[in-house]
């Protein structure tokens, strides 16, 4: 009995701690968002963050998308040929990429690159007093460091996903026409015949949320880091792990919401 | 509070300032007056709360109790906007410079002027050269990044950034720690020079008695969370206060016991 109560108390404490953390992150996000409507605006910082995400993540997201499209074509061909349904390969590729794999894989890649970079940049600024220095130089650090990054993440990831969608479909098309002997025109026709605008929009909404989450966790972990270089290292890891898990969990939640409609 | 007729209030007045972190008391009722246009040096062992005290004055740390008056007005009771207006008149040189490593020197130096829209980016590059000259740096330095500078140059750039907006009050947190003795003397000289030129009130933290005598008019000793002594900086070493004298002479024996374990 006592053991059971102890276990319950421990679980309760962990849940409380998680709730407190979630609340703190939510307040952090709200404060950052409130600066979207309060001048001055730091357009230069937005441009910098946007370039960092869009430009530097493009190669890795592009490669991921191409190979994923190729593998999808091969795998679905193997599977569907058992039911004589090879014709569905193009549909499977385009739907999987636009609805699911484009946003999730791009999100995870960006979490690894950008979540880590944001946490390291802001964490270093924290432990070297640069954030305090901003305050003494008449600059609100949330407005200057966090808000532009959140905005950039929310806008840049959907753009990356558009590219990932196109390249993923191309990867499938390359395998379809050159290896699986589909006619190029037929493959493309069945790709676009079954694709609905809603599929693409669904993916882009997801990716906007993922982009926001990656930037948020990167900024939060960096902003609250302490304890020198080791603290910054910990913040970086925490940012990548937490944003990756959140991406996968939110992916389920958002998919459920879209299906429910 | 002010019973001294029409004498002007001190520029900075701390009363009963308290701050504890997780139950560990760091400041335990600090009282301190810094007169207008005076240069005050704060002495105290490592971890005695000197930086915390400066951060309280800057509003970076909220004290648990006490009053901080600047020009006779308690800043802790001010609205956020009023407080920001007061803070705009304070410059700070952080312990390790705290230069923004993603920005070139000229943007670092003119950061506050740019943030307050007092200057545009083109003019800022020109202005930076002017301010850098005050701390003895050549105009070419403005296009370098902080990581490309030596420790002494970083300190000078940080000093330039602290004075760029012509503050009334400048706070220096260990400006010469980590520099060789000659560079330390140069930085001390620059500090005396810019403080006098601006007609500012200065509060400096230092461990180094030579520095303290060079930059300070007055000195105060922070020990166990309180100011235990204030007096002229020139008297350091023969103040008659056993705590201060032990600290100033760097003696192992005396009232100060180093706590090696906390
Ligand atoms: N933000 C903080 N959170 C918790 N403890 C702090 C914080 N800032 C300072 N301290 C603690 O306060 C004490 C005094 O620190 P500090 O003012 O930096 O010392 P110093 O006199 O060397 O400048 C130290 O023990 C430090 O660990
Ligand atoms: Mg200190």
């Amino acid at each position: 009995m006592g053991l059971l109560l102890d276990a319950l108390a421990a679980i309760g404490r962990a849940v409380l701690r998680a709730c407190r953390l979630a609340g703190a992150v939510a307040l952090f996000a709200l404060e950052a968002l409130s600066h979207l409507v309060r001048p001055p605006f730091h357009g230069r910082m937005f441009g910098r963050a946007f370039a960092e995400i869009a430009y530097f993540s493009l190669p890795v997201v592009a490669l991921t998308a191409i190979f994923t499209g190729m593998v999808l074509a091969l795998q679905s061909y193997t599977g569907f040929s058992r039911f004589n349904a090879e014709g569905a390969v193009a549909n499977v590729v385009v739907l999987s990429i636009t609805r699911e794999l484009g946003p999730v894989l791009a999100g995870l890649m960006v979490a690894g690159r950008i979540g880590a970079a944001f946490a390291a940049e802001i964490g270093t600024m924290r432990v070297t007093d640069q954030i305090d220095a901003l305050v003494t130089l008449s600059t609100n650090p949330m407005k200057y460091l966090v808000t532009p990054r959140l905005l950039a993440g929310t806008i840049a990831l959907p753009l990356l996903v558009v590219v990932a969608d196109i390249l993923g479909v191309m990867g499938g098309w390359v395998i379809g026409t050159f290896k699986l002997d589909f006619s190029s025109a037929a493959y493309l026709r069945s790709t676009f015949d079954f694709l609905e605008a809603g599929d693409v929009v669904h993916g882009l909404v997801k990716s906007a949320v993922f982009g926001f989450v990656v930037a948020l966790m990167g900024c939060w972990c960096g902003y609250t880091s302490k304890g020198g270089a080791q603290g910054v290292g910990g913040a970086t890891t925490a940012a990548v792990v937490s944003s990756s898990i959140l991406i996968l969990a939110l992916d389920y939640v958002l998919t459920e919401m879209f299906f429910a409609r | 509070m002010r019973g001294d007729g029409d004498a002007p209030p001190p520029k900075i007045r701390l009363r009963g300032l308290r701050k504890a972190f997780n139950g560990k008391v760091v400041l335990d009722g600090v009282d301190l007056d810094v007169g207008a246009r005076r240069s005050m040096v704060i002495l105290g062992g490592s971890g005695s709360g000197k930086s915390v005290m400066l951060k309280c004055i800057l509003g970076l740390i909220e004290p648990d109790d006490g009053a901080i008056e600047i020009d006779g007005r308690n800043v802790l009771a001010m609205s956020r906007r009023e407080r920001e207006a007061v803070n705009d008149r304070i410059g700070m040189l952080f312990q390790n410079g705290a230069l923004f490593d993603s920005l070139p020197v000229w943007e670092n130096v003119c950061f506050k002027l740019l943030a307050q829209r007092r200057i545009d980016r083109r003019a800022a590059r020109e202005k930076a050269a002017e301010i850098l000259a005050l701390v003895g740096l050549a105009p070419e330095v403005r296009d370098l990044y902080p990581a490309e500078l030596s420790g002494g140059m970083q300190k000078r750039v940080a000093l330039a950034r602290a004075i760029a907006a012509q503050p009334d009050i400048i706070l220096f947190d260990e400006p010469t720690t980590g520099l060789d003795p000659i560079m330390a003397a140069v930085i001390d000289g620059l500090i005396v020079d810019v403080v006098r030129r601006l007609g500012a009130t200065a509060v400096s933290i230092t461990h180094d008695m030579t520095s303290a005598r060079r930059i300070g008019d007055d000195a105060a000793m922070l020990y166990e969370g309180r100011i235990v002594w204030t007096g002229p900086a020139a008297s350091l070493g023969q103040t008659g206060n056993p705590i201060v004298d032990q600290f100033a002479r760097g003696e192992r024996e005396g009232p100060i016991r180093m706590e090696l374990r906390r």
Side-chain angles (χ1 to χ4, degrees):
Chain A
M1 191 63 199
L3 214 61
L4 187 66
L5 283 180
D6 281 353
L8 280 178
I11 293 171
R13 269 195 299 276
V15 170
L16 277 180
R17 206 175 318 122
C19 289
R20 209 173 304 130
L21 186 63
V25 175
L27 284 179
F28 180 81
L30 284 179
E31 189 189 340
L33 291 178
S34 76
H35 287 292
L36 280 176
V37 293
R38 287 188 283 160
F41 306 112
H42 295 288
R44 183 171 295 274
M45 295 304 283
F46 169 77
R48 201 182 267 237
F50 186 84
E52 195 174 349
I53 303 174
Y55 186 74
F56 293 111
S57 305
L58 194 56
V60 35
V61 168
L63 280 175
T64 312
I66 291 176
F67 284 118
T68 305
M70 289 166 65
V71 168
L72 266 178
L74 276 182
Q75 290 282 30
S76 51
Y77 184 83
T78 316
F80 286 129
S81 62
R82 294 180 192 162
F83 309 103
N84 295 322
E86 296 90 337
V89 167
N91 310 326
V92 169
V93 170
V94 72
L95 287 187
S96 315
I97 292 278
T98 54
R99 291 181 68 98
E100 200 53 52
L101 293 174
V104 170
L105 292 178
L108 291 176
M109 291 297 142
V110 168
R113 275 190 83 93
I114 299 303
F118 284 1
E121 287 161 14
I122 297 181
T124 304
M125 292 188 72
R126 167 61 74 198
V127 301
T128 57
D129 283 338
Q130 291 179 53
I131 293 187
D132 283 345
L134 280 174
V135 177
T136 68
L137 296 169
S138 307
T139 300
N140 183 316
M142 290 292 285
K143 187 191 280 296
Y144 183 77
L145 296 174
V146 180
T147 306
R149 283 180 167 83
L150 295 190
L151 190 63
T154 312
I155 296 176
L157 194 56
L159 293 180
L160 280 174
V161 167
V162 169
V163 176
D165 286 353
I166 294 169
L167 291 177
V169 168
M170 261 181 56
W173 170 81
V174 166
I175 294 298
T177 46
F178 295 104
K179 189 166 162 63
L180 305 177
D181 292 332
F182 286 95
S183 95
S184 168
Y187 186 95
L188 288 178
R189 198 172 331 109
S190 52
T191 293
F192 292 112
D193 274 356
F194 287 94
L195 183 66
E196 291 172 12
D199 297 325
V200 179
V201 170
H202 176 167
L204 294 184
V205 170
K206 271 186 186 176
S207 55
V209 174
F210 298 165
F212 178 80
V213 164
V214 168
L216 176 63
M217 293 320 292
C219 291
W220 162 263
C221 292
Y223 208 83
T224 54
S225 69
K226 40 172 107 55
Q230 199 179 356
V232 177
T236 310
T237 313
V240 175
V241 171
S242 61
S243 51
S244 303
I245 292 174
L246 277 172
I247 283 177
L248 296 173
L250 284 172
D251 183 44
Y252 174 74
V253 173
L254 291 171
T255 307
E256 182 85 44
M257 278 166 56
F258 272 96
F259 272 118
R261 284 195 312 161
Chain B
M1 283 278 288
R2 259 172 267 125
D4 34 22
D6 22 56
K11 188 77 184 173
I12 303 171
R13 182 204 290 259
L14 308 182
R15 281 297 175 268
L17 203 63
R18 278 171 213 284
K19 180 69 195 179
F21 292 104
N22 308 319
K24 197 183 117 211
V25 176
V26 176
L27 300 181
D28 189 18
V30 170
D31 297 329
L32 182 71
D33 287 346
V34 185
R37 298 182 173 233
R38 300 290 288 178
S39 175
M40 167 68 83
V41 174
I42 309 286
L43 309 172
S46 306
S48 61
K50 305 179 302 294
S51 297
V52 169
M53 190 180 98
L54 285 198
K55 286 181 179 177
C56 286
I57 297 175
L58 285 164
L60 296 171
I61 292 179
E62 209 54 36
D64 300 331
D65 196 14
I68 300 173
E69 287 178 25
I70 291 179
D71 290 323
R73 297 173 61 221
N74 186 359
V75 296
L76 299 175
M78 285 180 178
S79 72
R80 193 164 160 166
R81 181 156 306 199
E82 280 179 303
R83 180 82 199 257
E84 277 170 9
V86 172
N87 286 351
D88 278 350
R89 308 297 312 141
I90 306 179
M92 168 81 180
L93 176 62
F94 283 87
Q95 194 160 341
N96 291 307
L99 293 174
F100 304 126
D101 20 53
S102 59
L103 300 178
V105 165
W106 70 268
E107 272 192 76
N108 265 286
V109 170
C110 291
F111 195 92
K112 189 163 180 172
L113 297 173
L114 286 165
Q116 297 178 334
R117 312 273 149 119
R118 279 154 66 175
I119 194 173
D120 66 24
R121 293 177 64 78
R122 183 188 311 243
R125 254 188 102 248
E126 298 304 315
K127 182 81 181 165
E130 246 171 69
I131 302 167
L132 286 171
L134 295 180
V135 296
L137 288 176
E140 297 80 63
V141 173
R142 67 186 168 183
D143 292 319
L144 300 176
Y145 281 82
E148 299 170 305
L149 305 175
S150 71
M153 284 164 90
Q154 287 185 1
K155 275 281 153 66
R156 291 187 199 215
V157 172
L159 178 59
R161 185 175 74 178
I163 62 169
Q166 307 202 304
D168 296 340
I169 297 173
I170 318 184
L171 311 178
F172 300 96
D173 195 347
E174 301 195 16
T176 56
T177 300
L179 299 179
D180 66 72
I182 297 173
M183 185 55 74
V186 170
I187 297 289
D188 285 340
L190 286 171
I191 287 176
V192 171
D193 193 44
V194 298
V195 169
R196 192 170 301 146
R197 189 191 300 257
L198 290 172
T201 305
V203 179
S204 320
I205 291 173
T206 184
H207 287 297
D208 176 0
M209 288 311 121
T210 325
S211 273
R213 281 186 283 260
R214 274 195 296 242
I215 52 184
D217 302 320
D218 311 307
M221 172 90 196
L222 181 64
Y223 179 64
E224 292 186 335
R226 293 159 190 265
I227 299 289
V228 294
W229 173 85
T230 46
S235 72
L236 285 170
Q238 52 265 342
T239 62
N241 180 310
I243 298 174
V244 185
D245 286 352
Q246 184 199 348
F247 188 82
R249 298 190 202 126
E251 291 166 345
R252 235 147 53 97
E253 297 303 315
I256 305 177
R257 292 260 164 253
M258 279 296 151
E259 290 181 56
L260 295 179
R261 288 154 55 90
R262 281 195 180 244

